[in-house]
Amino acid sequence: MKRVIYLILIIAGFWLGIELITRLIIEILWFQEVGYLSSFLKRLLCQLILFIGVTGISASFLFVNLHFAHKYKWHSIPESLPKKYPHLKPIKDTRLTPQSISFRLPWLLFFVVICYLIAGVMLFYYSQLAFEVWTPKFNLANVNPPVLLFEGLNWFWNLIPSLPQNLLKLGAFSAIIFILFLKAELWITTIAGILSLLFGLIFAGNWTNVFKYLNSTPFKEFDPQFSKDVGFYVFTLPISEWLFLWLAGLIIYGVVTVSITYLLSGNSLSEGKFPGFSRPQLRHLYGLWGAVMAILVWRHILNRYELLYSSRGVIYGAGYTDIHVQQYVEIGLGIIAGLSAFWLFFKSISGASKPKLNPYYSRSKLKKISYHTAKTWYKLPFYLWFIILYLFVLIMGQFSSLFIQMLVVQPNELARERPYIARSINYTRAGFDLDKINAKIFDPEGVLTAEDIRNNALTIENIRLWDTQPLLQTNRQLQQIRLYYKFLSAEIDRYLMKTASTDQNDPFVPDTEPKTNDPNLINTTTEKQQVIIAARELDYEEVPDTAKTWVNEHLVYTHGYGFTLSPVNLVAEGGLPYYFVRDIGTSTDEGALQTSSEFIQYSIPITKPRIYFGQLTNTYVMTPTSVQEFDFPSGEENVYNTYDGAGGIQVGSWWRRGLFAIYLKDWQMLFTTDFLPDTKLLFRRQIDERIRTIAPFLQYDQNPYLVVADIGDTPPSGIKNTLYWIVDAYTISDRYPYSDPGENQYNYIRNSVKVVIDAYNGDVKFYIADPSDPIIKTWSKVFPAMFRSLDEMPINLRTHIRYPEDFFSAQSEQLLIYHMTDPQVFYNREDQWQIPREIYGNKTQSVAPYYLIMRLPEETQEEFILLHPYTPRSRPNLIGWLAGRSDGEQYGKLLLYLFPKQRLIYGSNQIEALINQDPAISQQISLWNREGSSVLQGNLLVIPIEQSLLYVEPLYLVAEENSVPTLARVIVFYENQIVMAPRLEEALTAIFEPEQSSTPAIIRPVEGL
């Protein structure tokens, strides 16, 4: 049987070795392909050093202690020699006699079970922690750092009530305790080895914290309490917490293993009693308990700094009670723990102790001694005084904090907490980069004229009538072409478009055919146009089941093709979206995308728009092979192609085939005859996975967007690509002192990096967008070859960077409270804001930030901005709006425009109410809803123009049969008028030039709500 077990272990070890070597070689090949091999090797070396070092130290500590425990343990229970053999003298060698009180079976079982429970909980806890470290969550909506920070010892207590709700955890925990009872000596040794490996894995997974600590950059900002640079909290404190977590677990398990070994020695369970600890055993335990108390000193030092993240009281961070009570409790507990550690180490080294009880005393003598000890309680062992004093200070500290908070702080809260409220306001604003907001007064005058509308033509022409949701629905009906094509998302961007320089029906379509193909010789002008772009990707999951073969999955269906580009403000016949770019195939080129005019061809550099790297490219593919790839459909036929880009890893040789077959668990790679000598494997094509694998220490935005740009270079393959993905990346921390995270799991965030991914070749480049951020400075020290300056980004790509929505949303939500900088106003919440509500479709939702092209007040030209309005918490009227700038030198700046509080400025809710209460408009909507269709109310946009506000809401009509949304009407609200018209231009004419309005429009005066 043992031979079979050994054979299984050898085979398993051999297979594991093959897996690890294979993965290492594949990772090296992949990182070499993407150009970040040096970064990977540096990371790998750090992880190996951490794993080997921490595992080695942990194993050495535990096994050395186990060795001494086995050396000093009882091999048999010592007998009372004078009682059995009166002629023999008592043994005077105290190393062989008990030097502590003995206890019988009930107490022995109690202590053993406690030790088993601690061992089981520790194994369970550190296993779960290792799993969390190696499987991080990256979703920005609920951002966690790549390595979760120490949660505190409360986990042990929180685990107990959660066990009954999770049968798997309960079963695993029970199994650990059961096997310990079966053969304790074997299993405590086994658990020691497992824990050593887990400690190594946890620290290897914490390579990010280690690198940040070793390469830390000062923030040159200091916390207001301890006057330490913020870099200490962001870079040093996290690694200190992880070190404590490791050392505390290591030492506590050392105490547990040694205690179990001593308690179970000499067949104590079967004998039904434990004789007590000998002097060597006591010295050993004194040393370990001294280490426990020393690590407890460290814990109290860390607790003092962590008061800056306290949630006690009305603010985030250390308040009055934390500063005046709790920090002194931590200091006192640390001193007591330190003195206790010193005394225990002294006892361990010197061994100075006198036996309190002689095991050879008679029972009557022992009873007298016990009675005398009870009467002289003040003569307790010295170490018990430390424990009693520590517990007394701990309990009194908790009660003192509670009483001070209730009796001193709360009755005079504002006066007591005022300086700490100011701290929280200032540091929260700094953590979320709100302290750089430029606030201005915006007083709507309501005096817009037709001349003002003409002077702001670019703003008017870029008012978004098409939301991304109805456009995607239309794309999926009209532009997917085949079932396996899919438009996953649509994003807002802006492009410089060549347009006719004279007045025409459509400025993007020349009235006459140009006589030359040279755009420079055509009478045109260039202007900024806001558009919605959506990539047409191939979703293999939508391929019919009968066609899902290995060849089709990996050799044929390899890429998506093309995109749609729609102006946000134009409408085609029948109320459908107007497309600048659509379909596949033209009369002259079956692989070209159709454009609406020559002007679009001049403005948008469209080549062969193949998407090998995207959001839906989840499969790995091999190309070129003897099987041609599906390129795009042409009528009833398909057109085929062979990849000739720069991406991929050569797999033509047999040894590489074998490596990838093991790595991918795809054995058909070994037997296919379709490979060629230059066949390459393209994997990790999903852009999110691709960039996270290269730089897992960054957090990434949830909305990658496609950009069409000619960056001027030609790759070695000679095939020019113009499709690129841009992803915003963030540096975050939850250790910024006094910064309130709100609903987030971070309290510091910067949009420090822009990532560009070539959709055809797979190249990935990281550009630093915020060089002032100390965290990205630190990562630049760690990986100097990874990051480039934003100035190095090609200009045709740089014109498409935008203020990211996720970052803006986080800032916008914090600003709801933290625009109040006066502590008294903040405390009373006198001016708290909220995000306005709107009706979208038939449901009420919060107004999301939206992009606009507009001219900001006091500016001379239009910009691409991200805008978010606010309302007071208790009222629905507008109180202000926040603008994030995206163009040129203004990129990344925030402007806050505040409305006068003494004036009523209609908010989104009020405008929606006016629209739905208007009898003519509501009657028309009800009529449409009864005729086999439904009305979808689009996003209500608040458009600042000059010193006035214009409200615009599109209405879409969705037929029940085909679900293709069409733009039915546009509702415009200005001052005291609501207008509903078929087109935006008609609605504006009806308001500002009613005498020239010749189209039917509903015009209603508004007197109020």
Side-chain angles (χ1 to χ4, degrees):
M1 185 62 182
K2 287 186 177 180
R3 291 183 178 180
V4 173
I5 294 174
Y6 289 149
L7 181 61
I8 292 173
L9 291 175
I10 291 171
I11 293 173
F14 177 76
W15 182 253
L16 180 62
I18 294 293
E19 282 284 331
L20 291 176
I21 293 171
T22 300
R23 286 183 176 274
L24 176 61
I25 295 174
I26 296 301
E27 294 295 339
I28 289 174
L29 291 174
W30 187 81
F31 275 93
Q32 187 176 33
E33 180 228 333
V34 295
Y36 295 99
L37 180 59
S38 61
S39 301
F40 169 71
L41 292 178
K42 187 173 186 178
R43 184 174 85 193
L44 180 64
L45 180 61
C46 177
Q47 288 179 305
L48 285 174
I49 291 173
L50 288 172
F51 177 74
I52 294 172
V54 172
T55 301
I57 293 172
S58 302
S60 299
F61 176 84
L62 293 176
F63 290 127
V64 166
N65 275 282
L66 278 170
H67 168 74
F68 282 107
H70 286 295
K71 179 180 179 182
Y72 296 138
K73 71 178 182 179
W74 297 118
H75 296 284
S76 61
I77 293 181
E79 298 287 346
S80 299
L81 295 180
K83 293 174 68 176
K84 279 195 169 187
Y85 308 100
H87 61 283
L88 294 178
K89 295 182 179 180
I91 300 175
K92 295 185 178 180
D93 188 352
T94 56
R95 292 175 301 173
L96 303 178
T97 58
Q99 301 296 300
S100 67
I101 61 172
S102 62
F103 37 84
R104 298 203 173 268
L105 186 60
W107 281 106
L108 176 61
L109 282 174
F110 173 78
F111 289 124
V112 169
V113 169
I114 290 295
C115 289
Y116 284 171
L117 287 173
I118 294 173
V121 167
M122 291 184 66
L123 180 60
F124 197 81
Y125 171 62
Y126 284 100
S127 300
Q128 183 174 327
L129 189 61
F131 178 78
E132 290 177 352
V133 165
W134 284 93
T135 55
K137 304 176 182 67
F138 294 99
N139 185 8
L140 189 63
N142 185 26
V143 178
N144 288 323
V147 176
L148 299 176
L149 292 175
F150 176 55
E151 296 177 354
L153 294 176
N154 288 335
W155 183 93
F156 290 101
W157 314 116
N158 295 335
L159 174 68
I160 296 171
S162 68
L163 283 176
Q165 290 139 20
N166 193 320
L167 294 178
L168 184 61
K169 290 182 179 180
L170 183 60
F173 182 75
S174 302
I176 293 170
I177 304 303
F178 179 73
I179 61 175
L180 281 169
F181 270 106
L182 291 180
K183 200 166 185 181
E185 187 174 318
L186 171 64
W187 285 108
I188 60 172
T189 305
T190 304
I191 291 175
I194 294 173
L195 279 177
S196 299
L197 292 172
L198 290 175
F199 291 144
L201 284 173
I202 289 169
F203 257 81
N206 261 291
W207 61 273
T208 53
N209 282 325
V210 174
F211 268 142
K212 286 193 293 183
Y213 169 71
L214 295 176
N215 299 273
S216 59
T217 302
F219 275 66
K220 297 181 181 178
E221 301 169 8
F222 299 89
D223 82 88
Q225 181 60 37
F226 303 113
S227 299
K228 284 190 170 291
D229 187 274
V230 171
F232 166 80
Y233 298 95
V234 174
F235 301 123
T236 304
L237 191 58
I239 198 66
S240 300
E241 290 171 334
W242 282 108
L243 282 170
F244 167 78
L245 181 66
W246 166 44
L247 294 177
L250 182 64
I251 295 168
I252 290 172
Y253 189 73
V255 171
V256 169
T257 55
V258 169
S259 299
I260 291 174
T261 302
Y262 290 151
L263 289 172
L264 298 182
S265 61
N267 295 320
S268 58
L269 282 179
S270 58
E271 293 287 339
K273 63 179 179 179
F274 177 71
F277 295 104
S278 66
R279 179 170 292 186
Q281 292 173 358
L282 286 174
R283 293 181 66 177
H284 191 184
L285 289 171
Y286 284 149
L288 289 174
W289 277 108
V292 170
M293 300 310 292
I295 204 71
L296 199 56
V297 175
W298 190 1
R299 179 69 261 169
H300 289 299
I301 293 173
L302 295 179
N303 285 349
R304 188 164 169 259
Y305 291 118
E306 288 180 354
L307 290 176
L308 302 190
Y309 314 108
S310 170
S311 57
R312 188 204 316 262
V314 295
I315 51 98
Y316 183 86
Y320 182 91
T321 303
D322 297 307
I323 298 302
H324 292 86
V325 179
Q326 192 61 42
Q327 77 157 325
Y328 295 107
V329 171
E330 299 294 345
I331 292 172
L333 291 172
I335 292 173
I336 295 169
L339 292 174
S340 177
F342 177 79
W343 184 82
L344 288 166
F345 283 138
F346 172 76
K347 293 279 287 182
S348 176
I349 294 170
S350 67
S353 65
K354 296 180 180 179
K356 301 299 179 184
L357 296 174
N358 191 320
Y360 309 126
Y361 285 155
S362 64
R363 182 168 297 180
S364 59
K365 182 70 172 177
L366 286 174
K367 285 182 178 179
K368 289 180 181 179
I369 292 174
S370 299
Y371 175 74
H372 177 72
T373 302
K375 289 180 67 177
T376 57
W377 55 269
Y378 52 87
K379 294 184 179 180
L380 290 173
F382 195 56
Y383 63 87
L384 287 181
W385 281 109
F386 280 117
I387 296 174
I388 292 170
L389 182 60
Y390 183 89
L391 292 175
F392 175 79
V393 173
L394 179 64
I395 294 169
M396 290 305 298
Q398 296 300 317
F399 280 108
S400 299
S401 297
L402 180 63
F403 290 147
I404 293 294
Q405 185 70 25
M406 292 176 60
L407 303 179
V408 177
V409 176
Q410 290 182 1
N412 307 280
E413 201 161 38
L414 178 57
R416 300 289 186 184
E417 299 284 17
R418 179 184 286 270
Y420 311 110
I421 293 174
R423 291 178 180 182
S424 184
I425 292 172
N426 294 335
Y427 281 82
T428 300
R429 289 174 61 86
F432 286 87
D433 210 19
L434 304 179
D435 54 342
K436 299 183 181 67
I437 291 178
N438 185 10
K440 300 181 179 182
I441 299 297
F442 184 87
D443 189 1
E445 297 173 353
V447 291
L448 273 183
T449 64
E451 184 65 23
D452 293 327
I453 296 296
R454 284 189 287 272
N455 291 338
N456 289 271
L458 191 57
T459 299
I460 298 299
E461 291 167 2
N462 283 280
I463 291 177
R464 197 179 82 205
L465 302 181
W466 286 102
D467 301 335
T468 55
Q469 182 177 330
L471 182 79
L472 278 175
Q473 285 182 257
T474 304
N475 275 1
R476 289 162 184 165
Q477 292 291 329
L478 305 180
Q479 289 295 312
Q480 283 193 177
I481 302 175
R482 296 288 173 88
L483 289 174
Y484 39 76
Y485 282 134
K486 188 172 184 178
F487 292 94
L488 181 65
S489 63
E491 296 296 330
I492 307 291
D493 200 358
R494 73 284 195 199
Y495 285 80
L496 289 175
M497 297 290 191
K498 290 186 179 295
T499 64
S501 58
T502 58
D503 292 336
Q504 301 187 59
N505 293 330
D506 186 342
F508 298 102
V509 182
D511 288 343
T512 58
E513 192 70 24
K515 297 179 180 180
T516 174
N517 289 327
D518 187 352
N520 297 315
L521 300 179
I522 300 176
N523 189 21
T524 63
T525 59
T526 300
E527 68 178 37
K528 195 176 294 183
Q529 174 64 43
Q530 189 175 188
V531 298
I532 302 177
I533 187 169
R536 185 187 291 110
E537 296 195 63
L538 191 146
D539 184 4
Y540 185 76
E541 293 300 319
E542 298 300 324
V543 171
D545 291 339
T546 54
K548 286 184 177 179
T549 64
W550 184 87
V551 171
N552 279 341
E553 182 177 1
H554 301 297
L555 307 184
V556 177
Y557 292 107
T558 58
H559 60 278
Y561 198 92
F563 57 93
T564 64
L565 191 73
S566 306
V568 296
N569 61 312
L570 296 182
V571 183
E573 291 183 8
L576 294 171
Y578 185 92
Y579 288 100
F580 284 158
V581 180
R582 61 188 176 90
D583 296 339
I584 300 175
T586 65
S587 58
T588 58
D589 186 347
E590 62 180 359
L593 303 183
Q594 290 188 20
T595 56
S596 60
S597 73
E598 290 83 355
F599 289 161
I600 302 304
Q601 294 178 25
Y602 304 149
S603 305
I604 308 297
I606 305 172
T607 56
K608 296 296 183 184
R610 300 182 178 99
I611 302 175
Y612 279 85
F613 300 85
Q615 294 178 275
L616 292 175
T617 47
N618 298 312
T619 60
Y620 56 90
V621 299
M622 281 76 78
T623 182
T625 64
S626 59
V627 178
Q628 284 197 309
E629 306 166 47
F630 167 73
D631 201 19
F632 56 86
S634 178
E636 298 298 322
E637 303 296 328
N638 291 334
V639 176
Y640 295 88
N641 182 64
T642 299
Y643 179 73
D644 52 7
I649 303 170
Q650 294 284 345
V651 290
S653 60
W654 282 100
W655 72 271
R656 288 200 176 189
R657 279 205 214 184
L659 283 175
F660 279 101
I662 296 172
Y663 179 79
L664 298 170
K665 303 297 182 291
D666 186 351
W667 307 110
Q668 295 197 52
M669 291 181 65
L670 294 174
F671 305 108
T672 181
T673 58
D674 294 321
F675 282 8
L676 303 174
D678 59 343
T679 296
K680 295 188 291 185
L681 172 72
L682 280 67
F683 75 108
R684 287 183 185 145
R685 299 190 300 135
Q686 206 274 343
I687 58 173
D688 190 63
E689 178 190 13
R690 195 171 186 84
I691 59 179
R692 291 187 195 283
T693 304
I694 296 171
F697 47 84
L698 297 174
Q699 299 295 322
Y700 296 94
D701 198 275
Q702 298 178 89
N703 299 299
Y705 58 102
L706 190 69
V707 170
V708 188
D710 184 356
I711 65 173
D713 64 340
T714 302
S717 64
I719 304 299
K720 195 165 194 171
N721 173 58
T722 58
L723 295 185
Y724 300 88
W725 296 96
I726 294 182
V727 185
D728 287 282
Y730 308 98
T731 51
I732 64 170
S733 173
D734 65 349
R735 299 283 92 181
Y736 202 88
Y738 273 107
S739 178
D740 181 6
E743 299 298 322
N744 307 298
Q745 293 191 12
Y746 56 89
N747 62 5
Y748 174 92
I749 181 170
R750 293 292 186 272
N751 175 214
S752 299
V753 177
K754 304 285 184 180
V755 188
V756 177
I757 306 103
D758 189 320
Y760 188 71
N761 298 295
D763 296 334
V764 180
K765 293 183 174 64
F766 297 84
Y767 297 94
I768 295 179
D770 184 359
S772 65
D773 173 34
I775 297 181
I776 201 60
K777 285 182 181 179
T778 296
W779 285 118
S780 297
K781 293 178 189 177
V782 178
F783 302 119
M786 178 177 289
F787 298 100
R788 307 162 186 245
S789 168
L790 191 62
D791 295 334
E792 297 180 44
M793 181 185 288
I795 186 63
N796 287 346
L797 285 175
R798 208 183 320 155
T799 56
H800 290 281
I801 64 174
R802 63 186 192 180
Y803 207 105
E805 288 183 74
D806 286 344
F807 182 42
F808 186 81
S809 295
Q811 292 177 302
S812 183
E813 289 173 6
Q814 289 297 94
L815 198 63
L816 297 175
I817 298 176
Y818 287 96
H819 68 277
M820 297 179 284
T821 55
D822 181 84
Q824 182 168 347
V825 175
F826 183 92
Y827 176 79
N828 294 325
R829 295 294 197 268
E830 296 175 14
D831 192 27
Q832 186 168 341
W833 297 346
Q834 65 182 4
I835 296 171
R837 308 285 292 176
E838 66 172 353
I839 297 175
Y840 191 87
N842 298 317
K843 298 179 180 178
T844 301
Q845 65 179 21
S846 297
V847 173
Y850 50 89
Y851 290 101
L852 284 177
I853 290 179
M854 61 167 286
R855 186 167 68 238
L856 291 167
E858 302 177 3
E859 296 295 334
T860 58
Q861 61 183 11
E862 286 79 4
E863 301 179 37
F864 187 62
I865 68 163
L866 185 58
L867 185 145
H868 208 192
Y870 297 113
T871 63
R873 185 172 188 180
S874 57
R875 302 188 307 278
N877 58 285
L878 286 182
I879 193 65
W881 51 282
L882 181 68
R885 308 174 78 172
S886 299
D887 289 346
E889 296 297 323
Q890 306 302 326
Y891 172 78
K893 295 180 180 179
L894 288 176
L895 292 173
L896 177 63
Y897 290 92
L898 300 171
F899 298 128
K901 296 180 181 179
Q902 65 273 17
R903 287 190 55 192
L904 174 64
I905 310 297
Y906 286 129
S908 302
N909 255 352
Q910 293 169 309
I911 300 299
E912 295 281 13
L914 289 171
I915 292 171
N916 292 322
Q917 289 172 9
D918 185 274
I921 295 176
S922 60
Q923 182 180 5
Q924 181 63 65
I925 291 175
S926 299
L927 182 63
W928 281 325
N929 281 329
R930 289 199 300 265
E931 295 179 349
S933 59
S934 59
V935 174
L936 178 70
Q937 290 183 244
N939 293 130
L940 177 64
L941 305 180
V942 183
I943 316 291
I945 299 178
E946 298 292 343
Q947 285 297 121
S948 299
L949 293 177
L950 199 66
Y951 301 81
V952 178
E953 181 176 79
L955 290 183
Y956 307 103
L957 205 57
V958 183
E960 293 179 357
E961 294 182 359
N962 55 23
S963 299
V964 177
T966 58
L967 184 66
R969 292 291 185 272
V970 178
I971 299 175
V972 177
F973 177 91
Y974 174 71
E975 287 301 310
N976 63 343
Q977 293 186 84
I978 292 181
V979 177
M980 185 170 76
R983 297 291 179 266
L984 175 63
E985 298 81 5
E986 299 166 9
L988 293 175
T989 301
I991 292 177
F992 297 104
E993 297 178 285
E995 68 281 356
Q996 298 183 18
S997 179
S998 58
T999 57
I1002 298 175
I1003 305 175
R1004 306 285 296 182
V1006 177
E1007 297 179 357
L1009 288 175

